[in-house]
């Protein structure tokens, strides 16, 4: 079982990376234009080739800036709350869990002490999303997602 706060090794990376396709694999929650944005591509293109440094927040900061919840003063909770409420269309339980555990909760349990808060927020968001998704696709890249990724990446928080 993955436990973000106890992961001094690279075990958190596998679960952290599922965000890029978990929303496409979850067919039970409707999201508005979170993964389809073309301008997010530049956030990934700016990153240096090869494996990222251990707790690099540059991609997360770039994405946060594109969506308006990361600014000059860092992570903006109110803007992120509005973002979540606007983007998650049909799952009030997920929105409530993200507000309680991620936005208003203790982020320290979602990652290594050297991780920035926006990275821990992403891990918390992923955990809530994985726990709340009521139905998973088993097609293409999503094949086996529910049976393999979900049990490895969901942890009690």
């Amino acid at each position: 079982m993955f436990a973000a706060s106890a992961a001094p090794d690279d075990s958190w990376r596998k679960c952290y990376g599922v965000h890029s396709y978990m929303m496409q694999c979850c067919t039970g929650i409707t999201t508005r234009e979170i993964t389809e944005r073309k301008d997010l591509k530049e956030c990934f293109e700016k990153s240096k080739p090869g494996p990222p440094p251990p707790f690099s927040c540059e991609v997360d900061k770039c994405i946060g800036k594109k969506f308006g919840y990361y600014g000059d003063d860092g992570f903006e909770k109110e803007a992120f709350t509005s973002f979540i409420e606007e983007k998650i269309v049909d799952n009030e339980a997920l929105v409530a869990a993200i507000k309680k555990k991620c936005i208003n909760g203790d982020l320290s349990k979602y990652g290594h002490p050297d991780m920035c808060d926006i990275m821990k927020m992403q891990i918390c968001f992923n955990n809530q999303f994985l726990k709340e998704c009521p139905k998973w696709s088993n097609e293409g890249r999503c094949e086996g997602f529910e049976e393999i990724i979900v049990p490895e990446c969901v942890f009690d928080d």
Side-chain angles (χ1 to χ4, degrees), residues 2-104:
F2 171 75
S5 61
D9 58 17
D10 281 348
S11 62
W12 62 272
R13 284 185 187 270
K14 175 182 179 183
C15 295
Y16 185 76
V18 303
H19 180 73
S20 61
Y21 62 99
M22 77 175 180
M23 289 185 172
Q24 297 161 2
C25 296
C26 177
T27 57
I29 297 175
T30 305
T31 56
R32 293 187 181 130
E33 290 186 48
I34 294 179
T35 55
E36 296 83 22
R37 293 200 38 168
K38 304 270 189 257
D39 57 336
L40 295 182
K41 188 176 179 182
E42 75 182 55
C43 295
F44 298 98
E45 290 173 348
K46 286 181 182 178
S47 61
K48 297 175 181 159
F55 310 120
S56 173
C57 296
E58 295 312 308
V59 171
D60 298 276
K61 289 177 182 178
C62 180
I63 291 169
K65 286 177 183 177
K66 297 283 185 191
F67 282 120
Y69 58 81
Y70 191 88
D72 294 337
D73 295 328
F75 180 73
E76 299 173 5
K77 285 185 175 188
E78 288 181 24
F80 189 71
T81 300
S82 296
F83 169 77
I84 292 300
E85 290 171 341
E86 177 188 326
K87 300 299 179 187
I88 299 173
V89 178
D90 59 357
N91 194 310
E92 290 179 26
L94 174 57
V95 173
I98 292 169
K99 285 180 181 179
K100 179 181 178 183
K101 297 189 177 183
C102 306
I103 297 169
N104 299 315

Side-chain angles (χ1 to χ4, degrees), residues 2-8 12 97-117 119-125 127-128 131 153-157:
F2 171 75
S5 61
W12 62 272
I98 292 169
K99 285 180 181 179
K100 179 181 178 183
K101 297 189 177 183
C102 306
I103 297 169
N104 299 315
D106 176 14
L107 289 178
S108 67
K109 60 184 164 186
Y110 294 100
H112 190 278
D114 293 337
M115 281 183 172
C116 61
D117 280 348
M119 217 170 173
K120 292 175 188 175
M121 179 67 70
Q122 187 65 52
I123 291 170
C124 181
F125 175 91
N127 195 49
Q128 305 320 311
K131 288 195 308 188
C153 295
V154 171
F155 58 96
D156 291 330
D157 54 358

